Amino acid sequence: MPLAYDPAENERFWEKVRQLPGFPQGEEICLRYMLIESNAIYRLKEALTYIGVRDDQPLLAVMDTTPMRRGEDDLKALVLAVLQHAGWEVETCVLEPDSSGQVHTDMPHILQVKERLSPEKAVVSVGSGVVTDIAKHACYLFDQEQGTHLPYLVYQTANSVSAYTSNMAPTLIEGVKRTLASRYPDALICDLETLRDAPREMTIAGVGDLLAVFVSMADWYLAYRLGMDETYTPLPELLMGPVDELLIQNAEEIRNGSLEAMALLAKLITLGGIAMSLSHATAPLSGFEHIVSHTLDLQNEARGKSLALHGTQIALATVLGAAAYRIFLEQFDPHQLNCESCYPEPEKMHRFILQTFHPLDPTNRAGEECWSDYRIKLEKWHTVKESFSNFLLQWDEIRPEVAKRTRPPQQIRSMFAAVGGPTRFSELEPPFEEVEVRFAFLNAPLIRKRFTIGDLFIWFNWDREALWRKVWETTQTNHVR
Ligand SMILES: [Zn+2]
C-alpha cells in the first residue's frame, strides 16, 4: 500500500499537503529536503548545499557518547569523514550523560550547544530523539536571539520517535516534561542502512510511539467536541493515513529490518512529526498515553533510575488508554450524569496535586509545576459549560466518532507484539510494578493542561479504583479478552 503523502517527494509532497483542510496557509516551512533512502549518508553534501550551506561555512556536529554502527563502520566517524571529505571544517559538540547514565533534553544540554553556535555556522545533529531535540532547540533559541536562521540538518540515527521533523521540543523543566515551541530542521537524512543497524529495541519503540494515535486522536477529538481544544483539524489523520493497516502489513518486514520497511517506518515517523508541527500542537500524537508515560518517567527520575525507551513505554500506555476508552464508550451514559458535580473546587485540586506528588518531590516543586499547568485546564473546563451541555445532547453522534479513532486494547497489543515489542510493564527496562503503573494511570491527568479521557474520569466522578482494576486486568493478565 503506497503512502498517500510521501515526504520523500519533497516539493510534490508539500504541494499535496498544502491542499489538506487545516493546513496553516501562509506559514513558512523551512523543512524542504527529506532524503529517505539507501546510502543517503553519501548524499550529505548535496543535502547541505540544497539548504544553502556554503563550502566555507564551519559545521557544528552535535552528538552524544553512544557508540553507533553502520555495517562494519563506526557511524559517527563515518558521518564526520563524509562531511570532511566534502571539504567542510567540522567541530563536534558531545553531550555527556547525567548520573542516570542518559542524556535528557534539559536546559543545561541545550545551552551547552547554544554556546557553540555563531551566525556563520551550520548545524548537523547525529543522533536519535533527545540529541535532535537538544540541537534543534539550541538553534531555535539562537535564531530568536540573533534574528537569524541557522541551517540545520538532522541525521536520524534510529526510527525511534515521531519527533525528528517536529517544530517543538519536549524539555525537562523542574523535573516535569514541557513541550516548548521550537523550529523545524531544514533537512532530514534517513540513511536506511543506519536505521536498519540501530538497536532493534529502538525500531520497536518507534512503532510504539506511532501506536499512540489510537488514543491521542480520540482525546484530541473529544477535547474539540467538549470545547476544550479549538486546534483540532482532520489534517493529521488524513496525512498519516491508515497507520494500523500499514503496520500490520509490514510487521514482519519491520521485525526483519528490511530496508523497505525501514523506509516506510521512517516516513510514517516523519509524517507524525509534520502532523504535530502543522497543528502547532503535539496533541494529535500525544494524549492520555503520553501523560501516563511522562508520569512513569517522573517516578523513575525521582528515584534516580534510568528511563525506559519512550516509544515502548508509550505502546504499553496506549494499551491502557485504549482499555479505558473501551470502558468509557461502553458505560458512559449522559442521562446518568450529575452535571453539577463535574466541577471540582480549585483549592481542593491544588491540595490533592501537592499531596499526590509530595512523595516524589518533598520540596513540592514538581507538585506546584503540575498545578500551574493543571489549573489552566480546570479554569477552561469551567468556561465551556455550553459546549459541555451540547456534548451531552450530541453524545449519540459523538460516540461513534470517538470509537472510530480508537482500537481494541488487544489489537494494539498484538500489533506491537508483531514487531517484537513487549506486552507487559514488567518487561520494560527498568521494569515497573503494578503500583507504579497505577500511580501513573490515576494521576497522569494532574500533570498537564492538555485535556484527555483521564480528566473525564475525574470530573465525572467515576470509581477510578474500580476502573483501574478493570484496565489492569484486561491488559496485563494472561486471559486478555
Ligand atoms: Zn512520543
Side-chain angles (χ1 to χ4, degrees), residues 218-229:
D219 279 335
W220 199 29
Y221 183 78
L222 205 55
Y224 161 64
R225 295 302 301 259
L226 278 163
M228 291 295 288
D229 190 343

Side-chain angles (χ1 to χ4, degrees), residues 272-317:
I274 293 174
M276 291 190 275
S277 302
L278 295 178
S279 312
H280 307 122
T282 53
L285 272 84
S286 168
F288 182 66
E289 77 301 327
H290 268 74
I291 56 171
V292 167
S293 171
H294 291 323
T295 314
L296 289 168
D297 287 347
L298 204 63
Q299 295 177 80
N300 277 346
E301 273 152 11
R303 291 169 191 142
K305 290 195 204 170
S306 61
L307 304 186
L309 267 176
H310 173 77
T312 307
Q313 191 165 287
I314 290 297
L316 300 195

Side-chain angles (χ1 to χ4, degrees), residues 247-445:
L247 289 177
I248 291 168
Q249 270 177 16
N250 292 280
E252 199 184 325
E253 294 278 291
I254 293 173
R255 212 174 50 230
N256 298 335
S258 82
L259 293 185
E260 292 75 19
M262 291 307 105
L264 173 80
L265 196 51
K267 286 175 183 180
L268 280 175
I269 280 173
T270 299
L271 291 173
I274 293 174
M276 291 190 275
S277 302
L278 295 178
S279 312
H280 307 122
T282 53
L285 272 84
S286 168
F288 182 66
E289 77 301 327
H290 268 74
I291 56 171
V292 167
S293 171
H294 291 323
T295 314
L296 289 168
D297 287 347
L298 204 63
Q299 295 177 80
N300 277 346
E301 273 152 11
R303 291 169 191 142
K305 290 195 204 170
S306 61
L307 304 186
L309 267 176
H310 173 77
T312 307
Q313 191 165 287
I314 290 297
L316 300 195
T318 302
V319 177
L320 300 182
Y325 258 109
R326 205 170 80 143
I327 296 167
F328 184 80
L329 291 171
E330 268 171 21
Q331 298 185 2
F332 175 59
D333 177 0
H335 305 289
Q336 304 286 324
L337 192 71
N338 174 5
C339 296
E340 297 305 303
S341 64
C342 292
Y343 299 94
E345 286 295 316
E347 300 72 36
K348 201 180 127 201
M349 289 312 287
H350 187 190
R351 273 199 308 277
F352 178 57
I353 289 174
L354 291 189
Q355 203 181 51
T356 302
F357 294 99
H358 186 80
L360 292 181
D361 178 7
T363 69
N364 281 348
R365 279 219 298 273
E368 290 291 1
E369 178 60 30
C370 291
W371 167 244
S372 72
D373 226 40
Y374 183 85
R375 66 183 299 174
I376 299 170
K377 174 164 64 182
L378 191 59
E379 278 164 20
K380 173 112 188 161
W381 176 235
H382 280 267
T383 65
V384 297
K385 287 188 174 155
E386 200 182 317
S387 317
F388 179 34
S389 42
N390 288 333
F391 173 89
L392 296 174
L393 291 171
Q394 294 161 0
W395 177 243
D396 286 345
E397 176 249 315
I398 294 171
R399 189 182 177 282
E401 286 295 318
V402 174
K404 107 181 166 201
R405 289 170 170 84
T406 64
R407 294 291 179 276
Q410 54 271 38
Q411 192 184 324
I412 294 167
R413 212 170 108 130
S414 53
M415 276 193 270
F416 197 48
V419 297
T423 54
R424 285 171 220 291
F425 282 93
S426 56
E427 295 167 61
L428 292 179
E429 190 46 52
F432 287 101
E433 308 262 352
E434 183 191 337
V435 54
E436 294 160 316
V437 186
R438 176 185 166 278
F439 179 90
F441 180 87
L442 294 177
N443 300 313

Side-chain angles (χ1 to χ4, degrees), residues 87-265:
W88 273 291
E89 184 196 312
V90 191
E91 292 170 31
T92 56
C93 176
V94 179
L95 305 165
E96 299 286 341
D98 63 20
S99 56
S100 72
Q102 291 173 321
V103 180
H104 298 292
T105 310
D106 53 20
M107 278 302 166
H109 281 113
I110 291 167
L111 295 177
Q112 183 198 336
V113 177
K114 185 170 160 267
E115 277 158 20
R116 300 284 299 277
L117 301 177
S118 66
E120 66 277 6
K121 279 185 192 168
V123 180
V124 174
S125 63
V126 183
S128 57
V130 170
V131 171
T132 305
D133 284 332
I134 291 170
K136 168 171 73 182
H137 204 58
C139 290
Y140 171 77
L141 293 178
F142 186 84
D143 288 354
Q144 295 290 302
E145 260 179 45
Q146 306 276 324
T148 175
H149 180 91
L150 289 184
Y152 170 42
L153 177 144
V154 169
Y155 187 94
Q156 175 178 330
T157 57
N159 268 331
S160 49
V161 276
S162 329
Y164 298 97
T165 49
S166 105
N167 60 3
M168 287 163 273
T171 306
L172 276 176
I173 308 282
E174 296 290 0
V176 181
K177 251 205 195 120
R178 293 282 175 240
T179 302
L180 307 179
S182 198
R183 58 163 275 189
Y184 289 98
D186 299 278
L188 170 77
I189 301 293
C190 292
D191 170 67
L192 302 182
E193 287 77 3
T194 299
L195 300 177
R196 176 199 62 200
D197 295 344
R200 218 169 78 88
E201 310 84 76
M202 298 194 81
T203 308
I204 293 170
V207 172
D209 209 20
L210 281 170
L211 291 174
V213 297
F214 299 113
V215 168
S216 59
M217 296 276 193
D219 279 335
W220 199 29
Y221 183 78
L222 205 55
Y224 161 64
R225 295 302 301 259
L226 278 163
M228 291 295 288
D229 190 343
E230 298 81 18
T231 65
Y232 175 85
T233 75
L235 184 141
E237 287 157 293
L238 296 169
L239 187 61
M240 294 184 73
V243 174
D244 51 349
E245 287 170 38
L246 290 164
L247 289 177
I248 291 168
Q249 270 177 16
N250 292 280
E252 199 184 325
E253 294 278 291
I254 293 173
R255 212 174 50 230
N256 298 335
S258 82
L259 293 185
E260 292 75 19
M262 291 307 105
L264 173 80
L265 196 51

